Every structure is written in structure tokens, then in C-alpha cells.
Amino acid sequence: MSLLEWTALDYAPPDRIAGHGAVLERFAPKRHAAELFAANGTDVEMWRYMPCGPFADFTDYRGWADQVAAWDDPAFYAIRADGPWIGVASLMRIDRGNGVIEIGNIAFSAALKRTRLATAALHLMIAQAFEAGFRRVEWKCNAENAPSRRAALRLGFSFEGVFRQHMVVKGRNRDTAWFAMVDGDWPAIRDAHLAWLDPENFDGDGRQRRALGGFAPMAGRH
């Protein structure tokens, strides 16, 4: 495939991304930190595979929040629907020259995990990346992090292998599992996401009628 016409992207992470009932705002500690700490700041299991946390108290969490909110890469986002802020994720490793971006630093509280809102938020981040012209969206996690690996596959990312002894995190070895989605994959995956997110796919109690894995092309990616 010739890329003679390719030029580096002129891209800045947006201040806000919204749709499908999800709202993502660039992380602003004064606005978001208190609710996020209440939602997940001391959740030991959630921070198990993260390079930071858990946090002893709000002062500790606020110090971390002030630091990461000042960065443009990673660009951190707070996540909610119409209630409190209950999750964080980032757009990171932004390679404008090659058109590659990663979704990472995913810190979803118990109230957010395995919900329609969680899928909507991640869908919006992927969609934003491809609509901005990126050619490849990556997802990486500790190879021992089975929930993160399942989430990547469920969303339509392809498993590309494990980088052994890739990092040292919190004094322990991290083998890193790599997943990716490219622009040619996205149209069909986008349609599957949208079919799953359709309100008609949920009953009156908010339970899915059909799992995302049942929509083509998702069924073939597990």
C-alpha cells in the first residue's frame, strides 16, 4: 500500500468527547478529582496493574491528579454519564507522524466496569482517533491482566503478541500484551459497536438483549 500522499497529522486531543450517553472531559482536578477519588481512589484491585495507586487518602490522589492533568500525552479524561465522575482513561503515545495512538491508563470504578457506559466511553475514544485520521489504535496491558485482555478482544482489537520483560512496574516484571485495531478494521467494528449500543438492545432494566460478541465482525475476533 503506497503512502506517498501521507502527511503527519495536525492533532490535539479534544477537550470533550460525548455521545451514546457518555461524557468524557479532559481531566481537571478541581472539577473531577473529589468524585473520582470517592469512586476508585482506594480500590486496591483496580490499581493492581496500574503504574500508580492505590492512594492512601485524597491528598495523595490529588497530588497525582495535579501531575497528570498537566500533560498532553497522555491526555487524561474523566468519564461519567449524567451522575458523578466514575472513571478515567487516556489517549497516549500520540505518534502523529505515523498515525498511531494508544488508549490506556484505564481506571474504571466498580460502578463503571462492565456497563453500557464503559463500552460507550471506549467506543468514543476509538472513534475520535480514527475520525481524526489515525491509522492505528493500540491497547496494551500487563499480560497477567485477564480482564483487560478480554476487554480488548470484546471491543474488536486484534491480539498481536506479548513483549516479554517489557517493563518494571512497582518493582515487578511486566510482560506486555499488545492489541491493535487499524483503520481498515474500523468501519465494520464501528457498526457492531453502534448496533450493541442501540437503546433497543437493552431491556427496561438496562440489561443487554444481545452481547457485543454476537454482532459481526466481533464474533470472529475471540
Side-chain angles (χ1 to χ4, degrees), residues 53-121:
F55 301 91
D57 51 34
F58 179 66
T59 299
D60 192 19
Y61 184 83
R62 180 59 190 266
W64 169 80
D66 287 340
Q67 179 184 33
V68 302
W71 298 340
D72 284 325
D73 186 0
F76 279 77
Y77 290 86
I79 299 167
R80 73 171 183 179
D82 54 2
W85 301 97
I86 54 175
V88 172
S90 73
L91 294 170
M92 59 187 289
R93 302 187 189 280
I94 303 170
D95 182 348
R96 296 167 179 82
N98 292 299
V100 181
I101 195 168
E102 179 181 344
I103 295 173
N105 294 298
I106 298 169
F108 285 3
S109 68
L112 180 55
K113 290 177 182 176
R114 302 176 66 85
T115 66
R116 183 181 184 277
L117 173 59
T119 299

Side-chain angles (χ1 to χ4, degrees), residues 122-144:
L122 293 168
H123 165 80
L124 288 171
M125 296 181 83
I126 299 167
Q128 202 284 142
F130 283 125
E131 289 166 7
F134 285 91
R135 305 172 58 239
R136 172 181 168 94
V137 178
E138 296 180 335
W139 177 296
K140 305 185 186 81
C141 63
N142 189 309
E144 296 180 358

Side-chain angles (χ1 to χ4, degrees), residues 2 89 93-94 109 125 148 168 170 218:
S2 174
R93 302 187 189 280
I94 303 170
S109 68
M125 296 181 83
S148 184
V168 177
K170 295 179 179 175
M218 316 305 286

Side-chain angles (χ1 to χ4, degrees), residues 150-162:
R150 288 195 298 268
L153 293 172
R154 175 180 174 274
L155 288 166
F157 288 87
S158 296
F159 175 60
E160 295 188 332
V162 173

